[in-house]
Amino acid sequence: MSAVAQPPLPERGTPARALTVAQSLRWQTAEFHERLMESLYGEAARLADRAVTRPGQRPRFDLDRTLDRIVTSRLWGFPLMILLLAGVFWLTISLANIPSSWLSSILIGTVYPALQNAAQSIGLPWWLSGLLIDGMYLAAAWVVSVMLPPMAIFFPLFTLLEDFGYLPRVAFNLDSIFRKSGAHGKQSLSMMMGFGCNAAGVVATRIIDSPRERLIAILTNNFALCNGRWPTQILLATIFIGALAPAYLAGLVSALAVVGIAVLGVLITFGVSWALSRSVLRGEVSSFSLELPPYRPPRILQTIYTSIIDRTLIVLWRAVVFAVPAGAAIWLSANITIGGASLAEHLINLLNPIGLLVGLNGVILVAYLFAIPANEIVIPTILMLTVLVTGTTGVGSGAGVMFETDASGTLALLTAGGWTLLTAVNLMLFSLLHNPCSTTLATIYKETGSRRWTVLSAVIPLALGFTLTFFVAQIWRLAGGAG
Amino acid sequence: MNRQALPAPSGMPADCADCPAHHAANLRRLGVDMQDWDYVVALAGNPNTGKSTVFNALTGLRQHTGNWPGKTVTRAEGGFEYAGNRFKLVDLPGTYSLLATSADEEVARDFLLFGQPDVTLIVVDASRLERNLNLVLQVFEITSRVIICLNLLDEARRHGLQVDERRLARDLGVPVVPTVARTRQGFDLLLKTIHEVASGRTVCRPHRIQSEPPELKRAIAEVQQEVEALFPDLPNARWVALRLLDGDERIIEAVRQGELADLASTITAAPRLAMEAT
């Protein structure tokens, strides 16, 4: 090894160089120490002054603290929460109708007949044009026109609240109830995610480190109404419950009905968590600290853009992807006949007694079978099957065809299908309380690695759903209500 | 429904040994038994802020405590166990600054710099916040994994002072835990916070001073570049630059001897930060 000659000037990256530079700068910078200390002390004084309130001095007004005191107060916390939610739904319901009918007049009023004509002119066989246009295209068109407007209004509004920093405060409000239910306080956060998508909510339970409490959060996540179910709730509330009120109150009443279902879901979450933590998932409650982030003025344009791109279009795409094959399956089941009746009719007749017993009907139960991949297509499927059963003409144009309809048309059709207020109320309940969609089930299986818990996560809500709708139907009929 | 039909799936442990609630009330004071520690916690702060009271409460040792500044001049060590992890707690002499003009300041400063604690707990007197923050800001230059233990809250309240610990935490960028060490008030949260910062579950982003005059800033930046060229992995190059500019003999020596290089390589060779997969 040869000795390396030291260069005359220190090279960059050697101790000598660094020391020389520091040395020369030290002499160039007058009173380095004093001035450094000065800025340090100044900074310390500034920080201390912001945090400390002296005797006789009014606490410094802090918007965050004041807001927190209101939105997390014992008295105002919950009413404010419900008011905000109701406001969001009221806006959604009252604004969504206009673009909805506009979309359906284009997609179903104009494009649909044009497609049919085109199919006829190139001589497609009836079964192929039926499958492609009456089945697949109409299913997709229906989902787009029904779901896009409410989602495009609801998601940005919800995201604005989230962006503002309100959701952690909701979690804070709910925390103590979760703990009393024997669950982890962070479950309130995974539940918030579940209000968007249950599969995402199930993944979000990873923030809970105790396996026992995480399982509770996974098993109860389905009780948070997800994207796929909000439109069902909003539609039913609008045409059945809103219609009971005078016109100027209709929007508000429907919004409150939807909020009522969402709140019921939260209450059931508490109840089931409580029951689980006292039976199969017994154990201690862990403590955790929840950081309340500072409030930030929401970035409105950016929020609208990202929530439309990220949430609305992605959810819509998923709905369309599931609706297209489902549309094909529905059309096939309505057009393949065995012994004089179609496959769908056989199924409906088979399930009708059970359906009627719980205040629903066979059509609804069959629709829920078709909708296992995605809750989004429940309403289109119900309408299509109702046409089939009632033999209504003029609205649709044949077996297995989804058709153009607006709120009043839907009401007329469903009434013809034997629907009453009870059916609508029970469907709203059943939409809250039934098995999670197949995506969520797959996620639950992936997260728990257990068939048992996955099955249980479907069995619990189904059992609750049938029990609740059964009792509502019995009480309704005892009280002399129609149905 | 048959309850027997639903046994715990294979993924779930039979007991709840890894559940935080299980440990919350289960601090084990280990006294001087410090074998096989998982994390090192340094206890720093101004003199007479209750560091030794905190130390005793956590380790079960009976370090002499006295209500006068300068009681602890060398470092004392003890251990405790919490949430399945063994912590070594090092009580540093109380200092007003880390400029190492006296022996006790040097003990504290050297330990923070060369001892590589996983967490530095700074005990702060809530009734004399401004003076205490001088030290806090200096520690921030050396290490970022800091927790503020806002102690003597009872005394501050008696003086009619209100400290908004949430605002302080937000401004400082590190956790602030309000405590009354003598009555062990706030210790549950303190232990939990220590565990979270040590395990990397809570990430601190300490506030850095930006109010130096431009001339100083330039000089600091220039020397900092040199230090970074010399020790690319050093996490606190800015602080070393400050000390070089201030003519700190100990640090000049450390740069010359390459002690800081060893420090940098131990940091990169053995990262103890166990980030949680999300």
Side-chain angles (χ1 to χ4, degrees):
Chain A
M1 214 172 164
S2 63
V4 179
Q6 196 74 343
L9 276 173
E11 205 179 313
R12 194 176 172 84
T14 59
R17 158 84 173 233
L19 293 176
T20 317
V21 170
Q23 180 87 349
S24 69
L25 276 171
R26 174 142 62 103
W27 295 120
Q28 282 166 36
T29 321
E31 295 181 317
F32 179 87
H33 185 86
E34 285 70 20
R35 288 159 74 189
L36 185 70
M37 285 299 109
E38 217 170 273
S39 62
L40 183 78
Y41 285 15
E43 192 78 2
R46 190 182 67 82
L47 291 170
D49 188 49
R50 280 165 62 83
V52 178
T53 309
R54 280 165 211 299
Q57 190 183 357
R58 276 177 59 82
R60 183 184 295 268
F61 179 73
D62 184 330
L63 185 65
D64 281 26
R65 198 170 44 197
T66 314
L67 275 179
D68 272 346
R69 225 167 253 166
I70 299 169
V71 301
T72 63
S73 85
R74 274 166 206 278
L75 188 61
W76 296 108
F78 283 100
L80 262 177
M81 220 159 75
I82 290 178
L83 206 68
L84 273 171
L85 263 183
V88 166
F89 289 122
W90 178 73
L91 277 175
T92 309
I93 289 170
S94 48
L95 294 179
N97 262 337
I98 306 152
S100 225
S101 59
W102 184 70
L103 272 174
S104 83
S105 82
I106 293 178
L107 291 177
I108 300 166
T110 314
V111 177
Y112 173 61
L115 280 174
Q116 274 184 322
N117 287 339
Q120 223 155 33
S121 66
I122 60 169
L124 276 186
W126 72 272
W127 58 268
L128 190 56
S129 84
L131 186 65
L132 290 179
I133 300 168
D134 297 340
M136 294 163 120
Y137 169 76
L138 268 187
W142 218 102
V143 165
V144 170
S145 64
V146 166
M147 291 192 54
L148 182 58
M151 285 199 308
I153 299 168
F154 175 72
F155 287 151
L157 287 175
F158 200 73
T159 316
L160 282 177
L161 278 184
E162 192 180 330
D163 210 27
F164 177 58
Y166 183 63
L167 293 195
R169 273 78 189 180
V170 172
F172 180 88
N173 285 340
L174 297 180
D175 168 54
S176 65
I177 310 181
F178 271 112
R179 292 161 64 105
K180 279 182 200 133
S181 315
H184 198 288
K186 277 187 190 166
Q187 193 177 327
S188 48
L189 294 174
S190 62
M191 187 179 76
M192 287 293 135
M193 289 293 291
F195 278 127
C197 170
N198 295 132
V202 168
V203 175
T205 60
R206 288 184 189 172
I207 56 174
I208 300 172
D209 24 2
S210 123
R212 178 190 80 85
E213 290 159 327
R214 191 168 166 220
L215 267 173
I216 294 180
I218 288 176
L219 292 177
T220 55
N221 195 272
N222 186 42
F223 300 126
L225 274 181
C226 69
N227 288 329
R229 295 181 277 168
W230 288 117
T232 308
Q233 299 288 347
I234 292 173
L235 186 82
L236 287 171
T238 311
I239 63 179
F240 279 98
I241 295 174
L244 296 176
Y248 65 97
L249 280 178
L252 190 65
V253 169
S254 340
L256 286 177
V258 178
V259 172
I261 293 287
V263 169
L264 179 69
V266 175
L267 293 180
I268 289 173
T269 304
F270 292 140
V272 172
S273 302
W274 183 86
L276 285 171
S277 72
R278 268 157 196 76
S279 54
V280 283
L281 290 169
R282 226 177 308 228
E284 261 184 275
V285 178
S286 4
S287 63
F288 78 112
S289 53
L290 174 72
E291 186 184 332
L292 295 181
Y295 289 102
R296 298 207 173 84
R299 294 150 303 169
I300 293 176
L301 288 178
Q302 199 181 337
T303 303
I304 290 174
Y305 175 79
T306 52
S307 63
I308 284 181
I309 298 298
D310 283 357
R311 297 179 87 166
T312 312
L313 290 186
I314 286 175
V315 171
L316 189 70
W317 175 242
R318 194 181 101 90
V320 170
V321 164
F322 282 110
V324 169
I330 294 164
W331 189 87
L332 285 175
S333 74
N335 284 281
I336 296 174
T337 51
I338 301 167
S342 68
L343 214 58
E345 278 171 301
H346 281 301
L347 256 178
I348 291 167
N349 290 335
L350 186 71
L351 291 176
N352 220 12
I354 309 171
L356 290 176
L357 187 66
V358 295
L360 299 169
N361 57 40
V363 166
I364 293 173
L365 295 183
V366 173
Y368 269 98
L369 286 180
F370 278 116
I372 287 176
N375 279 297
E376 286 85 343
I377 59 171
V378 163
I379 288 286
T381 312
I382 286 176
L383 294 177
M384 190 282 296
L385 293 173
T386 307
V387 173
L388 179 73
V389 173
T390 56
T392 311
T393 48
V395 200
S397 48
V401 179
M402 296 185 183
F403 39 80
E404 171 184 15
T405 181
D406 53 14
S408 61
T410 310
L411 180 60
L413 174 75
L414 290 177
T415 316
W419 282 50
T420 62
L421 185 58
L422 171 68
T423 324
V425 169
N426 270 2
L427 178 53
M428 285 173 83
L429 291 174
F430 193 73
S431 155
L432 174 70
L433 299 169
H434 70 279
N435 55 290
C437 69
S438 54
T439 313
T440 305
L441 284 173
T443 312
I444 293 174
Y445 179 69
K446 225 169 73 191
E447 295 292 317
T448 60
S450 144
R451 275 202 196 104
R452 278 207 180 90
W453 292 120
T454 313
V455 168
L456 192 65
S457 74
V459 168
I460 293 175
L462 273 176
L464 275 172
F466 278 115
T467 313
L468 188 62
T469 48
F470 175 77
F471 278 110
V472 169
Q474 300 319 308
I475 291 167
W476 189 284
R477 284 163 187 156
L478 274 179
Chain B
M1 198 155 89
N2 183 4
R3 203 185 276 172
Q4 247 49 47
L6 299 161
S10 52
M12 206 170 124
D15 60 348
C16 290
D18 58 344
C19 158
H22 181 71
H23 298 282
N26 277 339
L27 166 69
R28 261 185 66 209
R29 300 188 183 87
L30 301 175
V32 288
D33 167 22
M34 287 169 289
Q35 304 294 303
D36 313 317
W37 39 265
D38 298 302
Y39 301 111
V40 177
V41 180
L43 200 56
N46 281 16
N48 201 25
T49 52
K51 278 187 307 304
S52 298
T53 315
V54 172
F55 178 84
N56 288 347
L58 290 177
T59 60
L61 289 174
R62 282 189 199 82
Q63 267 272 315
H64 177 69
T65 57
N67 187 10
W68 49 280
K71 183 195 55 56
T72 315
V73 283
T74 56
R75 55 183 219 228
E77 302 187 351
F80 66 92
E81 191 179 306
Y82 174 75
N85 288 296
R86 293 167 72 90
F87 293 82
K88 179 167 126 178
L89 188 64
V90 181
D91 189 15
L92 301 174
T95 57
Y96 293 107
S97 78
L98 293 176
L99 303 175
T101 45
S102 59
D104 51 349
E105 280 186 8
E106 193 172 325
V107 171
R109 202 271 316 274
D110 284 1
F111 186 78
L112 292 181
L113 188 61
F114 300 107
Q116 290 293 302
D118 296 284
V119 180
T120 302
L121 185 65
I122 310 181
V123 184
V124 157
D125 179 350
S127 57
R128 289 169 187 81
L129 193 58
E130 177 181 340
R131 194 191 68 199
N132 282 254
L133 285 181
N134 289 331
L135 178 72
V136 170
L137 291 173
Q138 291 181 46
V139 175
F140 280 178
E141 300 275 359
I142 298 183
T143 171
S144 60
R145 291 157 140 211
V146 175
I147 298 168
I148 307 292
C149 172
L150 190 62
N151 198 25
L152 301 176
L153 261 188
D154 48 344
E155 234 167 84
R157 271 189 216 121
R158 230 180 6 256
H159 292 123
L161 293 172
Q162 266 180 47
V163 183
D164 183 349
E165 75 269 4
R166 280 185 50 201
R167 165 160 250 165
L168 190 63
R170 208 177 288 160
D171 283 352
L172 291 176
V174 302
V176 173
V177 183
T179 58
V180 179
R182 275 183 307 153
T183 59
R184 302 179 47 81
Q185 209 177 307
F187 268 53
D188 279 353
L189 186 59
L190 184 65
L191 281 165
K192 193 169 174 335
T193 313
I194 292 174
H195 181 233
E196 280 183 354
V197 172
S199 61
R201 229 170 284 178
T202 297
V203 179
C204 306
R205 289 186 188 79
H207 171 82
R208 297 275 149 92
I209 313 179
Q210 259 141 37
S211 57
E212 305 101 340
E215 193 193 347
L216 258 64
K217 256 193 191 141
R218 266 198 307 278
I220 296 167
E222 200 172 319
V223 179
Q224 188 179 346
Q225 269 182 0
E226 295 295 336
V227 175
E228 275 164 0
L230 191 55
F231 311 114
D233 299 320
L234 196 68
N236 34 29
R238 195 187 114 95
W239 184 82
V240 174
L242 285 175
R243 300 313 302 140
L244 290 180
L245 280 167
D246 216 359
D248 186 322
E249 287 302 330
R250 174 81 178 87
I251 299 302
I252 290 174
E253 198 52 34
V255 169
R256 189 171 290 141
Q257 301 293 333
E259 263 178 87
L260 286 169
D262 300 340
L263 186 62
S265 62
T266 53
I267 295 168
T268 47
R272 263 199 229 105
L273 192 73
M275 291 300 289
E276 281 240 312
T278 48

